[in-house]
Amino acid sequence: MSRKRTTTWASVAVLILLMVIGYYLTRYQDSTTPSQPTTTAAQPPGTPPAQDPAPLLAGLKIASEGKMAGYSRDRFPHWSGQGNSCDTREVVLQRQGADVRSDKDCKATAGTWVSAYDGVTITDAGKLDIDHTVPLAEAWRSGADKWTDEQRQKFANDLDGIQLVAVSATSNRSKGDQDPAKWKPPVETYWCTYAANWVTVKSTYGLTVDQAEHDALAAMIAVCPR
């Protein structure tokens, strides 16, 4: 009887040991597997504005566009490091895509993104650009030329609002640094959101609008649901 009891306790001890080993092996595998960040943005770029953007537009100062003298993209240090080997671009891809997978260097290796500007569905991160809703050069002409480089860096890497949007490279390069008087997203159903995002960014950063830009934004906001 004693021998049987000893054998039973030994079996239990071995089982417990195997369970402990299995637990720590699982913890180790989890820690070494590339992370799969949350892919749903708190406020997706295509979400219609919660509030009427017209008052924000009315509050913007109308002024002639400034000059490009002294401008360089280097004056807006962008794609800053955000921790865990990720830079601003990779964080935007993670937030605005679905089923995004990243490697150990935080580079997106898989996922699905819908470009709000042209409605194109993209599964190759290399075909995406991260657009600045208000382009860097447009910001420069609207008052950012008077900012410090630190202020311009914050603007270029703003992950707190709707200044950064993952879109098709084709649509982003078609837009360039043009304001809404010269370029609008091909998807007209996005015009309300685009205009609302534009005036929100300009209001947040105290940037001006020229008259043609103001009038184009007013026309786009007029299509927003009431």
Side-chain angles (χ1 to χ4, degrees), residues 86-154:
C86 300
D87 62 18
T88 302
R89 171 185 166 83
E90 298 303 332
V91 172
V92 174
L93 291 176
Q94 292 168 8
R95 288 183 178 182
Q96 297 183 10
D99 301 322
V100 178
R101 294 178 179 273
S102 304
D103 63 18
K104 61 182 178 61
D105 297 317
C106 198
K107 302 299 181 185
T109 58
T112 302
W113 298 263
V114 177
S115 171
Y117 292 174
D118 50 11
V120 175
T121 297
I122 296 172
T123 56
D124 179 357
K127 295 181 180 179
L128 290 160
D129 280 354
I130 305 304
D131 181 47
H132 292 90
T133 297
V134 174
L136 305 182
E138 166 66 21
W140 181 271
R141 296 189 295 263
S142 305
D145 59 324
K146 301 176 180 64
W147 295 351
T148 65
D149 284 349
E150 289 74 19
Q151 288 174 310
R152 286 187 281 266
Q153 181 174 14
K154 179 182 178 182

Side-chain angles (χ1 to χ4, degrees), residues 25-209:
L25 280 175
T26 301
R27 291 284 299 273
Y28 174 77
Q29 289 172 348
D30 288 344
S31 67
T32 57
T33 300
S35 61
Q36 299 177 21
T38 300
T39 59
T40 302
Q43 176 82 359
T47 301
Q51 297 180 333
D52 183 3
L56 279 182
L57 176 61
L60 295 179
K61 179 181 177 181
I62 298 177
S64 299
E65 278 195 343
K67 305 299 183 183
M68 289 294 288
Y71 171 76
S72 165
R73 284 181 66 86
D74 292 339
R75 300 295 301 275
F76 292 81
H78 49 288
W79 306 166
S80 301
Q82 301 294 336
N84 298 320
S85 300
C86 300
D87 62 18
T88 302
R89 171 185 166 83
E90 298 303 332
V91 172
V92 174
L93 291 176
Q94 292 168 8
R95 288 183 178 182
Q96 297 183 10
D99 301 322
V100 178
R101 294 178 179 273
S102 304
D103 63 18
K104 61 182 178 61
D105 297 317
C106 198
K107 302 299 181 185
T109 58
T112 302
W113 298 263
V114 177
S115 171
Y117 292 174
D118 50 11
V120 175
T121 297
I122 296 172
T123 56
D124 179 357
K127 295 181 180 179
L128 290 160
D129 280 354
I130 305 304
D131 181 47
H132 292 90
T133 297
V134 174
L136 305 182
E138 166 66 21
W140 181 271
R141 296 189 295 263
S142 305
D145 59 324
K146 301 176 180 64
W147 295 351
T148 65
D149 284 349
E150 289 74 19
Q151 288 174 310
R152 286 187 281 266
Q153 181 174 14
K154 179 182 178 182
F155 178 83
N157 296 276
D158 185 356
L159 290 168
D160 296 326
I162 32 68
Q163 166 64 346
L164 300 175
V165 188
V167 297
S168 68
T170 302
S171 65
N172 184 45
R173 294 167 198 185
S174 171
K175 171 183 172 178
D177 66 352
Q178 301 176 93
D179 68 35
K182 305 178 183 71
W183 186 90
K184 298 177 181 64
V187 176
E188 292 189 21
T189 54
Y190 187 65
W191 283 9
C192 170
T193 300
Y194 184 75
N197 290 351
W198 185 283
V199 300
T200 297
V201 172
K202 286 221 161 180
S203 176
T204 299
Y205 285 93
L207 298 172
T208 62
V209 292

